[in-house]
Amino acid sequence: MKLNHSAMAGTVESSDIQIMISPKEEPGIELVLESSVLGQYGNQIRKTILDTLKSLQVDDAKIIAIDKGALDLTIRSRVQTAVFRAIDQFEDLPWEVMM
């Protein structure tokens, strides 16, 4: 899936995560993660973001994530929302529960 432009979802409020996504010319995913719980949960947060991007077939993007203690459900939701905003898809969204 090719991103059309930059987009954002989420907030920097407690228990949330802010996801900023931009198209990238070079192949691959570039992920910048800031989190107050980076030492304890950084690997899981990264995995959730990357798995969600993979499921949406996003291959080339730069993501900046600012985590404030979000659960996996919130992380997936914010990544999905940012991607759909970046591709201008506002109708017929393929929402599903991913466990």
Side-chain angles (χ1 to χ4, degrees):
M1 185 176 303
K2 181 149 176 59
L3 305 177
N4 298 329
H5 52 79
S6 298
M8 183 176 71
T11 68
V12 290
E13 299 294 322
S14 181
S15 301
D16 203 353
I17 187 168
Q18 185 176 66
I19 300 289
M20 294 165 277
I21 191 166
S22 306
K24 198 173 130 209
E25 294 299 320
E26 310 82 40
I29 301 292
E30 179 183 343
L31 174 57
V32 177
L33 174 61
E34 295 177 23
S35 176
S36 56
V37 293
L38 193 62
Q40 297 96 331
Y41 300 108
N43 290 338
Q44 181 60 37
I45 296 167
R46 280 187 194 89
K47 181 179 181 335
T48 300
I49 292 170
L50 295 174
D51 286 351
T52 304
L53 291 171
K54 184 177 179 181
S55 74
L56 295 171
Q57 299 175 342
V58 175
D59 299 318
D60 307 318
K62 177 177 182 180
I63 298 93
I64 300 173
I66 303 171
D67 173 58
K68 298 294 182 177
L71 298 174
D72 283 355
L73 295 170
T74 303
I75 297 168
R76 279 193 294 272
S77 173
R78 298 304 191 201
V79 172
Q80 289 173 340
T81 300
V83 168
F84 293 137
R85 287 176 178 169
I87 64 169
D88 297 317
Q89 183 173 350
F90 302 107
E91 296 180 16
D92 301 320
L93 296 170
W95 298 120
E96 63 182 62
V97 176
M98 298 169 47
M99 295 291 185

